[in-house]
Amino acid sequence: MPPLRDLITDPGLELTPSERKVVRALLDQYPRNGLGPMARLAEHAGVSDPTIVRLVKKLGFGGYAEFQEALLSDMDHRLRSPRTLLQPRAQQNKDDAWAHYLADSHRLLVDTQSLTQPEDVRILTDWLLDARHQVYCFGGRFSSLMATYLLNHLRLLRPGCFALEDNALLPDRLFDLQRQDVVLVFDYRRYQTQALRVATAAKNNNARVVLFTDIYASPLREMADLIISAPVESASPFDTMVPALAQVEALIACLTLRSPDLADRLEGIDALRNDFATHLLEDK
């Protein structure tokens, strides 16, 4: 049998929406979430115990205990892998910091690949390309970089995309939220109270909340309709945004490939920009 992590991330695995929630919960804090009682995993995923029983049987296990044995075996294999054993334990020489950080970032990107299910990417892409509903982006002190970066690309791909900026106009924007609008919230540790307010307002207006966060216990997890998780620990004393930014760029790539009128839209935008630039020169 292949490693358990490969089983639960198999693109060919047909899962119900509730079963996908369980897989997300497992991947968010792998393998910790699967090592406790079934009831705890069910609570974390927001599903019932029978959903977990159905999932483990679909994966080929006789029951939850057998599933946990495979999880422990998978964890033991990972802990004994050459990559892990060769990971430096001591502090790196200052002269090696640059190379060590880049190497560690590469490792994190590899680990990030298994944190998001293909079905979640498909759902998120569908939501963002549905121009019937508005899209709003909110980010925190550092994660606003990702929110703005994604927003600027979304505006090239479709109309109706807005920033939720942490200023006096934020309540005005939140009041305008409509049912099925998509609110993208970027919130990584240390979690910000304002992000919780934004997500709460979105849910109160029946908007869909997509949470970009770390693999830890974000207070927004319970209210998110979709979660995109990324590791943040790095070789530096500061958390890294490299995996999260890579996820944003991967999302942009997916949207670009599926955007039917992108060429015409970009051509029209460029024509307007050229027209503005010409008139600006004439005014001078």
Side-chain angles (χ1 to χ4, degrees):
M1 180 177 286
L4 180 56
R5 191 160 185 163
D6 292 346
L7 277 178
I8 62 178
T9 56
D10 182 359
L13 188 63
E14 295 184 2
L15 300 175
T16 66
S18 294
E19 289 167 349
R20 283 199 299 271
K21 287 183 179 180
V22 179
V23 172
R24 286 182 206 133
L26 287 168
L27 292 175
D28 281 344
Q29 298 186 47
Y30 189 86
R32 190 177 71 183
N33 280 345
L35 295 177
M38 184 191 301
R40 186 190 302 168
L41 176 58
E43 181 181 3
H44 187 86
V47 301
S48 63
D49 288 6
T51 298
I52 296 177
V53 173
R54 287 193 298 271
L55 174 62
V56 298
K57 289 186 176 180
K58 186 176 289 188
L59 292 170
F61 300 102
Y64 191 63
E66 187 178 327
F67 168 80
Q68 286 189 313
E69 287 180 10
L71 186 62
L72 288 168
S73 175
D74 189 31
M75 182 176 66
D76 184 62
H77 173 75
R78 291 175 63 213
L79 289 175
R80 295 175 184 273
S81 69
R83 189 195 71 185
T84 305
L85 292 173
L86 291 174
Q87 247 180 340
R89 300 291 196 270
Q91 185 176 358
Q92 295 295 301
N93 185 291
K94 290 182 180 180
D95 294 337
D96 297 332
W98 179 286
H100 176 59
Y101 190 90
L102 292 179
D104 191 63
S105 296
H106 177 265
R107 176 185 62 82
L108 289 174
L109 287 173
V110 172
D111 291 344
T112 302
Q113 285 184 291
S114 62
L115 287 175
T116 305
Q117 301 173 72
E119 180 65 9
D120 288 344
V121 175
R122 184 194 65 77
I123 291 171
L124 178 55
T125 305
D126 286 345
W127 288 355
L128 293 178
L129 290 178
D130 187 351
R132 294 173 299 175
H133 305 292
Q134 314 274 47
V135 176
Y136 296 83
C137 293
F138 176 86
R141 180 183 176 190
F142 292 106
S143 57
S144 59
L145 167 70
M146 262 91 63
T148 302
Y149 186 70
L150 177 56
L151 178 64
N152 287 337
H153 284 83
L154 286 173
R155 284 171 170 165
L156 293 173
L157 297 170
R158 51 154 292 169
C161 301
F162 305 97
L164 292 174
E165 297 177 314
D166 191 2
N167 56 34
L169 296 177
L170 183 58
D172 303 54
R173 284 291 193 195
L174 292 175
F175 183 80
D176 290 336
L177 288 174
Q178 300 292 317
R179 181 180 180 84
Q180 298 299 301
D181 282 349
V182 182
V183 180
L184 305 170
V185 180
F186 291 81
D187 188 42
Y188 302 83
R189 67 178 192 186
R190 304 164 171 86
Y191 312 110
Q192 294 191 222
T193 304
Q194 201 73 315
L196 182 59
R197 294 194 181 105
V198 167
T200 301
K203 297 306 292 182
N204 289 340
N205 285 330
N206 296 308
R208 293 171 289 195
V209 174
V210 179
L211 175 62
F212 288 78
T213 190
D214 51 51
I215 59 175
Y216 306 113
S218 164
L220 276 66
R221 284 185 175 275
E222 295 299 319
M223 62 182 67
D225 297 285
L226 197 61
I227 300 173
I228 306 296
S229 300
V232 295
E233 288 191 10
S234 73
S236 161
F238 303 101
D239 283 348
T240 177
M241 292 284 101
V242 170
L245 183 56
Q247 288 175 326
V248 168
E249 293 203 328
L251 174 58
I252 292 168
C254 293
L255 292 168
T256 301
L257 289 173
R258 288 190 51 193
S259 187
D261 304 318
L262 179 59
D264 291 340
R265 182 173 174 83
L266 292 179
E267 185 178 350
I269 291 173
D270 285 342
L272 284 172
R273 283 181 178 154
N274 291 334
D275 186 54
F276 272 60
T278 301
H279 282 83
L280 182 62
L281 291 173
E282 291 175 351
D283 291 341
K284 287 183 178 180

